Amino acid sequence: MKKIVIVLLATIYAISGELEDLYLKSGILAVQQKIEKNLQNKEYWDNALKDLNLTYGYYSNSDRLIIVVDKTAKEISINKYENGAIKILKNNEIITGLMGEKLVEGDLKTPVGVYEITRRFTPPTTYYGPVAFSLSYPNLYDKLRKRTGSGIWIHGYPMEGDIRENEVETRGCVAMKNDLLLSFEDVVQNNKSIVIINEKGYPKAKNSDIAIIFANLFAWKDAWTISDLDRYLSFYSSDFRRFDGMR
């Protein structure tokens, strides 16, 4: 969040002589209040984000890889942001578990959602290929919905020659041929990566939706900062529960 704010402050300062005039007339506190007001305005964010490709969301860290899995097309792609554009680094064929959202342990489904690669490791047996990457399923969203299961990996094919012919044999994981897995590893290595898993095509975020999120995020922050409790609580649904069950 601090990085985003610093960039925005620099941008606003550079493009608006209005702030200098405001500073000379009313001081630094008035400038801060003006900037805070701008950051709560959707129109400001529409303009700030208009030239960025935000198909997979907004990322302040350009070094983070975005790995997208399409269960229907049986395809995985590695993407990277460069100067506001998405660059595809690699596409591979894959097989996944059964279709549908994963709900309980043992349903053989590959989860649908957004996860982080938590570690790169050598699998305990050669059945999973030469290397594997574990995913952060279940994430907080899954846990809030009482979804169970664990051990969802991106891994390879058995090294003894057994062939994976169908989705049941992956048990909810994402698997690819070992030569493709090694080329995947060459790109991903130990980089911080998120994995977006979807069905029926890749998800596509809208810049206007992200503009609304940012405007409301800064409005939420402002309400907390000035101790406007009624306004702060208005950002929460009446049935909202934290991860630990608290309202």
Side-chain angles (χ1 to χ4, degrees), residues 88-149:
I88 300 176
L89 303 179
K90 186 173 287 293
N91 282 313
N92 282 345
E93 293 181 356
I94 56 169
I95 60 174
T96 65
L98 299 178
M99 300 298 286
E101 296 196 28
K102 186 170 185 63
L103 302 177
V104 297
E105 185 172 2
D107 63 11
L108 305 180
K109 296 178 180 178
T110 300
V112 173
V114 180
Y115 303 97
E116 293 182 321
I117 289 181
T118 57
R119 66 187 180 110
R120 164 189 171 213
F121 63 100
T122 300
T125 76
T126 57
Y127 181 78
Y128 299 101
V131 68
F133 300 83
S134 63
L135 302 185
S136 59
Y137 176 87
N139 59 24
L140 179 58
Y141 183 86
D142 298 317
K143 292 176 181 177
L144 286 170
R145 282 151 186 79
K146 311 301 182 184
R147 297 174 181 174
T148 60

Coordinates of all heavy atoms in Angstrom, one line a residue, residues 88-149:
I88 N 3.2 -12.7 -22.4 CA 3.1 -14.1 -22.2 C 4.5 -14.7 -22.4 O 5.1 -14.6 -23.4 CB 2.1 -14.7 -23.2 CG1 0.7 -14.2 -23.0 CG2 2.0 -16.3 -23.0 CD1 -0.3 -14.6 -24.0
L89 N 4.9 -15.4 -21.3 CA 6.3 -16.0 -21.4 C 6.3 -17.4 -21.9 O 7.2 -17.9 -22.5 CB 6.9 -15.9 -20.0 CG 7.0 -14.5 -19.3 CD1 7.6 -14.7 -17.9 CD2 7.8 -13.6 -20.2
K90 N 5.2 -18.1 -21.5 CA 5.1 -19.6 -21.9 C 3.7 -20.1 -21.8 O 2.9 -19.7 -21.0 CB 6.1 -20.4 -21.1 CG 6.2 -21.8 -21.5 CD 7.3 -22.5 -20.7 CE 8.7 -22.1 -21.1 NZ 9.0 -22.5 -22.5
N91 N 3.4 -21.0 -22.8 CA 2.1 -21.7 -22.7 C 2.4 -23.2 -22.7 O 3.3 -23.7 -23.4 CB 1.2 -21.4 -23.9 CG 0.5 -20.1 -23.8 OD1 -0.1 -19.8 -22.7 ND2 0.5 -19.3 -24.8
N92 N 1.7 -24.0 -21.9 CA 1.9 -25.5 -21.8 C 0.6 -26.2 -21.8 O -0.4 -25.6 -21.3 CB 2.7 -25.9 -20.6 CG 4.2 -25.6 -20.7 OD1 4.7 -25.4 -21.8 ND2 4.9 -25.7 -19.6
E93 N 0.6 -27.4 -22.3 CA -0.6 -28.3 -22.2 C -0.6 -28.9 -20.8 O 0.5 -29.2 -20.3 CB -0.6 -29.3 -23.3 CG -0.8 -28.8 -24.7 CD -0.9 -29.9 -25.7 OE1 -0.7 -31.1 -25.3 OE2 -1.1 -29.6 -26.9
I94 N -1.7 -29.1 -20.2 CA -1.8 -29.7 -18.9 C -3.0 -30.7 -18.8 O -3.9 -30.7 -19.7 CB -2.0 -28.7 -17.8 CG1 -3.3 -27.8 -18.1 CG2 -0.8 -27.8 -17.6 CD1 -3.7 -26.9 -17.0
I95 N -3.1 -31.4 -17.7 CA -4.4 -32.1 -17.4 C -4.6 -31.6 -15.9 O -3.7 -31.3 -15.1 CB -4.4 -33.6 -17.5 CG1 -3.3 -34.2 -16.6 CG2 -4.3 -34.0 -18.9 CD1 -3.4 -35.8 -16.6
T96 N -5.9 -31.6 -15.5 CA -6.3 -31.2 -14.2 C -7.2 -32.2 -13.6 O -7.5 -33.2 -14.2 CB -7.0 -29.8 -14.2 OG1 -8.2 -29.9 -14.9 CG2 -6.1 -28.7 -14.9
G97 N -7.7 -31.9 -12.4 CA -8.7 -32.8 -11.8 C -10.1 -32.6 -12.5 O -10.2 -32.0 -13.5
L98 N -11.1 -33.1 -11.8 CA -12.5 -33.0 -12.3 C -12.9 -31.5 -12.4 O -12.4 -30.7 -11.7 CB -13.4 -33.8 -11.5 CG -13.1 -35.3 -11.4 CD1 -14.1 -36.0 -10.4 CD2 -13.2 -36.0 -12.8
M99 N -14.0 -31.3 -13.2 CA -14.5 -29.9 -13.4 C -15.3 -29.6 -12.1 O -15.8 -30.4 -11.4 CB -15.3 -29.9 -14.6 CG -14.6 -30.2 -15.9 SD -13.2 -29.0 -16.2 CE -14.1 -27.6 -16.7
G100 N -15.6 -28.3 -12.0 CA -16.4 -27.8 -10.8 C -15.4 -27.3 -9.7 O -14.3 -27.6 -9.7
E101 N -16.0 -26.5 -8.8 CA -15.2 -26.0 -7.7 C -14.9 -27.0 -6.7 O -15.8 -27.8 -6.3 CB -15.9 -24.8 -7.1 CG -16.0 -23.6 -8.0 CD -16.4 -22.3 -7.3 OE1 -16.0 -22.2 -6.1 OE2 -17.0 -21.4 -7.9
K102 N -13.7 -27.1 -6.2 CA -13.4 -28.0 -5.1 C -14.1 -27.7 -3.8 O -14.0 -26.5 -3.4 CB -11.9 -28.1 -4.9 CG -11.5 -29.2 -3.9 CD -10.0 -29.4 -3.9 CE -9.6 -30.5 -3.0 NZ -10.1 -31.8 -3.5
L103 N -14.8 -28.6 -3.2 CA -15.6 -28.4 -2.0 C -15.1 -29.2 -0.8 O -15.0 -28.7 0.3 CB -17.1 -28.7 -2.2 CG -17.7 -27.9 -3.4 CD1 -19.2 -28.4 -3.5 CD2 -17.7 -26.4 -3.1
V104 N -14.7 -30.5 -1.0 CA -14.3 -31.3 0.1 C -13.1 -32.2 -0.4 O -12.9 -32.4 -1.5 CB -15.5 -32.2 0.5 CG1 -16.6 -31.4 1.1 CG2 -15.9 -33.1 -0.6
E105 N -12.4 -32.6 0.6 CA -11.2 -33.4 0.4 C -11.7 -34.7 -0.2 O -12.7 -35.3 0.2 CB -10.5 -33.7 1.7 CG -9.2 -34.5 1.5 CD -8.4 -34.6 2.8 OE1 -8.9 -34.1 3.8 OE2 -7.3 -35.2 2.8
G106 N -11.0 -35.1 -1.3 CA -11.3 -36.4 -1.9 C -12.3 -36.3 -3.1 O -12.6 -37.3 -3.7
D107 N -12.7 -35.1 -3.4 CA -13.7 -35.0 -4.6 C -13.0 -34.9 -5.9 O -13.7 -34.9 -7.0 CB -14.6 -33.7 -4.4 CG -13.9 -32.4 -4.4 OD1 -12.7 -32.4 -4.8 OD2 -14.5 -31.4 -4.1
L108 N -11.6 -35.0 -5.9 CA -10.8 -35.1 -7.1 C -10.9 -33.9 -8.0 O -10.5 -34.0 -9.2 CB -11.2 -36.4 -7.9 CG -11.2 -37.7 -7.1 CD1 -11.6 -38.9 -8.0 CD2 -9.8 -38.0 -6.6
K109 N -11.4 -32.8 -7.5 CA -11.5 -31.6 -8.3 C -10.3 -30.6 -8.1 O -9.8 -30.5 -7.0 CB -12.8 -30.8 -8.0 CG -14.1 -31.6 -8.3 CD -15.3 -30.8 -7.9 CE -16.6 -31.6 -8.2 NZ -17.8 -30.8 -7.7
T110 N -9.9 -30.0 -9.2 CA -8.9 -28.9 -9.0 C -9.6 -27.7 -8.6 O -10.6 -27.3 -9.3 CB -8.2 -28.7 -10.4 OG1 -7.5 -29.9 -10.8 CG2 -7.1 -27.6 -10.2
P111 N -9.2 -27.0 -7.6 CA -9.9 -25.8 -7.1 C -9.9 -24.7 -8.1 O -9.0 -24.6 -8.9 CB -9.1 -25.4 -5.8 CG -7.7 -26.0 -6.0 CD -8.0 -27.3 -6.7
V112 N -11.0 -23.9 -8.0 CA -11.1 -22.7 -8.9 C -10.9 -21.5 -7.9 O -11.5 -21.4 -6.9 CB -12.5 -22.6 -9.5 CG1 -12.7 -21.3 -10.2 CG2 -12.7 -23.8 -10.5
G113 N -9.9 -20.7 -8.3 CA -9.6 -19.5 -7.4 C -8.2 -19.0 -7.7 O -7.6 -19.2 -8.7
V114 N -7.8 -18.2 -6.7 CA -6.5 -17.5 -6.9 C -5.6 -18.0 -5.7 O -5.9 -17.9 -4.5 CB -6.6 -16.0 -6.8 CG1 -5.2 -15.3 -7.0 CG2 -7.5 -15.5 -7.9
Y115 N -4.4 -18.5 -6.1 CA -3.5 -19.1 -5.1 C -2.1 -18.6 -5.3 O -1.7 -18.1 -6.4 CB -3.6 -20.6 -5.1 CG -5.0 -21.1 -5.0 CD1 -5.8 -21.4 -6.1 CD2 -5.6 -21.2 -3.7 CE1 -7.1 -21.8 -5.9 CE2 -6.9 -21.6 -3.5 CZ -7.7 -21.9 -4.6 OH -9.0 -22.2 -4.5
E116 N -1.3 -18.8 -4.3 CA 0.2 -18.5 -4.4 C 0.9 -19.8 -4.5 O 0.5 -20.9 -3.9 CB 0.7 -17.7 -3.2 CG 0.1 -16.3 -3.1 CD 0.7 -15.6 -1.9 OE1 0.8 -16.2 -0.8 OE2 0.9 -14.4 -2.0
I117 N 2.1 -19.8 -5.2 CA 3.0 -20.9 -5.1 C 3.7 -20.8 -3.8 O 4.4 -19.8 -3.6 CB 3.9 -20.9 -6.3 CG1 3.2 -21.3 -7.6 CG2 5.1 -21.9 -6.0 CD1 4.0 -21.4 -8.8
T118 N 3.6 -21.7 -2.9 CA 4.2 -21.6 -1.6 C 5.6 -22.2 -1.5 O 6.4 -21.8 -0.7 CB 3.3 -22.4 -0.5 OG1 3.2 -23.7 -0.9 CG2 2.0 -21.7 -0.4
R119 N 5.9 -23.2 -2.4 CA 7.3 -23.7 -2.4 C 7.5 -24.6 -3.7 O 6.6 -25.1 -4.2 CB 7.6 -24.5 -1.2 CG 6.8 -25.8 -1.0 CD 7.0 -26.5 0.3 NE 6.3 -27.7 0.4 CZ 6.8 -28.9 0.4 NH1 8.1 -29.1 0.3 NH2 6.1 -30.0 0.6
R120 N 8.7 -24.7 -4.0 CA 9.2 -25.5 -5.1 C 10.0 -26.6 -4.5 O 10.9 -26.4 -3.7 CB 10.0 -24.7 -6.1 CG 10.9 -25.4 -7.1 CD 11.8 -24.4 -7.7 NE 12.9 -25.0 -8.5 CZ 14.1 -24.5 -8.7 NH1 14.4 -23.4 -8.1 NH2 14.9 -25.1 -9.5
F121 N 9.7 -27.9 -4.8 CA 10.4 -29.0 -4.1 C 10.5 -30.2 -5.0 O 9.8 -30.4 -6.0 CB 9.6 -29.3 -2.8 CG 8.2 -29.8 -3.1 CD1 7.9 -31.1 -3.0 CD2 7.2 -28.9 -3.4 CE1 6.6 -31.6 -3.2 CE2 5.9 -29.3 -3.6 CZ 5.6 -30.7 -3.5
T122 N 11.3 -31.2 -4.5 CA 11.4 -32.5 -5.1 C 10.3 -33.4 -4.5 O 10.3 -33.5 -3.3 CB 12.8 -33.1 -4.9 OG1 13.8 -32.2 -5.5 CG2 12.9 -34.5 -5.6
P123 N 9.4 -34.0 -5.3 CA 8.3 -34.8 -4.8 C 8.9 -36.0 -4.0 O 10.0 -36.5 -4.3 CB 7.6 -35.2 -6.0 CG 7.9 -34.3 -7.1 CD 9.4 -33.8 -6.8
P124 N 8.1 -36.5 -3.1 CA 8.5 -37.7 -2.3 C 8.7 -38.9 -3.1 O 9.4 -39.8 -2.7 CB 7.4 -37.8 -1.3 CG 6.2 -37.2 -1.9 CD 6.7 -36.0 -2.7
T125 N 8.0 -39.1 -4.3 CA 8.2 -40.2 -5.1 C 8.3 -39.7 -6.6 O 7.8 -38.6 -6.9 CB 7.0 -41.2 -5.0 OG1 5.9 -40.7 -5.7 CG2 6.7 -41.5 -3.6
T126 N 8.9 -40.5 -7.4 CA 9.0 -40.2 -8.8 C 7.7 -40.2 -9.6 O 7.6 -39.9 -10.8 CB 10.0 -41.1 -9.5 OG1 9.6 -42.5 -9.4 CG2 11.4 -40.9 -8.9
Y127 N 6.6 -40.7 -8.9 CA 5.3 -40.7 -9.6 C 4.8 -39.4 -10.0 O 4.1 -39.2 -10.9 CB 4.3 -41.4 -8.6 CG 2.9 -41.5 -9.2 CD1 2.6 -42.5 -10.0 CD2 1.9 -40.6 -8.8 CE1 1.3 -42.7 -10.6 CE2 0.6 -40.7 -9.3 CZ 0.3 -41.7 -10.2 OH -0.9 -41.9 -10.7
Y128 N 5.3 -38.3 -9.3 CA 4.9 -36.9 -9.5 C 5.9 -36.2 -10.4 O 5.8 -35.0 -10.5 CB 4.7 -36.2 -8.2 CG 3.7 -36.8 -7.3 CD1 4.0 -37.6 -6.2 CD2 2.3 -36.6 -7.6 CE1 3.0 -38.2 -5.4 CE2 1.3 -37.2 -6.8 CZ 1.7 -38.0 -5.7 OH 0.7 -38.6 -4.9
G129 N 6.8 -36.9 -11.0 CA 7.8 -36.2 -11.9 C 9.0 -35.7 -11.1 O 9.2 -35.9 -9.9
P130 N 9.8 -34.9 -11.8 CA 11.1 -34.5 -11.3 C 11.0 -33.3 -10.3 O 11.9 -33.1 -9.5 CB 11.9 -34.1 -12.5 CG 10.9 -33.6 -13.5 CD 9.7 -34.5 -13.3
V131 N 10.0 -32.5 -10.3 CA 9.8 -31.3 -9.5 C 8.4 -31.0 -9.3 O 7.5 -31.5 -10.1 CB 10.6 -30.1 -10.1 CG1 9.9 -29.6 -11.4 CG2 10.7 -29.0 -9.1
A132 N 8.0 -30.3 -8.3 CA 6.6 -29.9 -8.0 C 6.6 -28.6 -7.4 O 7.5 -28.1 -6.8 CB 5.9 -31.0 -7.1
F133 N 5.4 -27.9 -7.5 CA 5.1 -26.6 -6.9 C 3.8 -26.7 -6.1 O 2.8 -27.1 -6.7 CB 5.0 -25.5 -8.0 CG 6.2 -25.4 -8.8 CD1 6.5 -26.2 -9.9 CD2 7.2 -24.4 -8.5 CE1 7.6 -26.0 -10.7 CE2 8.3 -24.2 -9.3 CZ 8.5 -25.0 -10.4
S134 N 3.9 -26.4 -4.8 CA 2.7 -26.5 -4.0 C 1.9 -25.2 -4.1 O 2.5 -24.1 -4.1 CB 3.0 -26.9 -2.6 OG 3.8 -25.9 -2.0
L135 N 0.6 -25.3 -4.0 CA -0.3 -24.1 -4.1 C -1.0 -23.9 -2.7 O -1.1 -24.9 -1.9 CB -1.4 -24.3 -5.1 CG -1.0 -24.6 -6.5 CD1 -2.2 -24.6 -7.5 CD2 0.0 -23.5 -7.0
S136 N -1.4 -22.7 -2.4 CA -1.9 -22.3 -1.1 C -3.4 -22.6 -0.9 O -4.1 -21.9 -0.2 CB -1.6 -20.8 -0.9 OG -2.3 -20.0 -1.9
Y137 N -3.8 -23.7 -1.5 CA -5.2 -24.2 -1.2 C -5.2 -25.0 0.0 O -4.3 -25.8 0.2 CB -5.7 -25.1 -2.4 CG -7.1 -25.6 -2.1 CD1 -8.3 -24.9 -2.4 CD2 -7.2 -26.9 -1.4 CE1 -9.5 -25.4 -2.0 CE2 -8.5 -27.4 -1.1 CZ -9.6 -26.6 -1.4 OH -10.8 -27.1 -1.0
P138 N -6.2 -24.8 0.9 CA -7.3 -23.8 0.8 C -6.8 -22.4 1.3 O -6.1 -22.3 2.3 CB -8.3 -24.4 1.8 CG -7.5 -25.1 2.8 CD -6.3 -25.7 2.1
N139 N -7.2 -21.4 0.5 CA -6.8 -20.0 1.0 C -7.9 -19.5 1.9 O -8.8 -20.2 2.3 CB -6.7 -19.1 -0.3 CG -7.9 -19.0 -1.1 OD1 -9.0 -19.3 -0.6 ND2 -7.8 -18.7 -2.4
L140 N -7.8 -18.3 2.3 CA -8.7 -17.7 3.3 C -10.2 -17.8 2.8 O -11.1 -18.1 3.5 CB -8.3 -16.3 3.7 CG -9.2 -15.6 4.7 CD1 -9.3 -16.3 6.0 CD2 -8.7 -14.1 4.9
Y141 N -10.3 -17.5 1.5 CA -11.7 -17.5 0.9 C -12.3 -18.9 1.0 O -13.4 -19.1 1.4 CB -11.6 -17.1 -0.5 CG -12.9 -17.0 -1.3 CD1 -13.7 -15.8 -1.2 CD2 -13.3 -18.1 -2.0 CE1 -14.9 -15.8 -1.9 CE2 -14.5 -18.0 -2.7 CZ -15.3 -16.9 -2.7 OH -16.5 -16.8 -3.4
D142 N -11.4 -19.9 0.7 CA -11.9 -21.3 0.8 C -12.3 -21.7 2.2 O -13.3 -22.4 2.5 CB -10.8 -22.3 0.3 CG -10.5 -22.0 -1.2 OD1 -11.4 -21.8 -2.0 OD2 -9.3 -22.0 -1.5
K143 N -11.4 -21.3 3.2 CA -11.6 -21.7 4.6 C -12.9 -21.1 5.1 O -13.6 -21.7 5.9 CB -10.4 -21.2 5.4 CG -9.2 -22.0 5.1 CD -8.0 -21.4 5.9 CE -6.7 -22.2 5.6 NZ -5.5 -21.6 6.3
L144 N -13.2 -19.8 4.7 CA -14.4 -19.2 5.1 C -15.7 -19.9 4.6 O -16.7 -19.9 5.3 CB -14.5 -17.7 4.7 CG -13.6 -16.7 5.4 CD1 -13.5 -15.4 4.7 CD2 -14.0 -16.6 6.8
R145 N -15.5 -20.6 3.5 CA -16.6 -21.4 3.0 C -16.5 -22.9 3.3 O -17.2 -23.7 2.7 CB -16.6 -21.2 1.4 CG -17.2 -19.8 1.1 CD -16.7 -19.2 -0.2 NE -17.3 -17.9 -0.3 CZ -16.8 -16.8 0.4 NH1 -15.8 -16.9 1.2 NH2 -17.4 -15.6 0.2
K146 N -15.7 -23.2 4.3 CA -15.6 -24.5 4.9 C -15.2 -25.6 3.8 O -15.5 -26.7 3.9 CB -17.0 -25.0 5.5 CG -17.6 -23.9 6.4 CD -16.7 -23.6 7.6 CE -17.4 -22.7 8.6 NZ -16.5 -22.3 9.7
R147 N -14.4 -25.1 2.9 CA -13.9 -26.1 1.9 C -12.6 -26.8 2.5 O -11.8 -26.2 3.1 CB -13.5 -25.3 0.6 CG -14.7 -24.7 -0.1 CD -14.4 -23.9 -1.3 NE -15.6 -23.3 -1.8 CZ -15.6 -22.4 -2.8 NH1 -14.5 -22.0 -3.4 NH2 -16.8 -21.9 -3.3
T148 N -12.5 -28.1 2.2 CA -11.5 -28.9 2.8 C -10.6 -29.5 1.7 O -10.9 -29.4 0.5 CB -12.1 -30.0 3.6 OG1 -12.9 -30.8 2.8 CG2 -12.9 -29.4 4.8
G149 N -9.5 -30.1 2.1 CA -8.6 -30.7 1.2 C -7.2 -30.0 1.3 O -7.1 -29.0 2.0

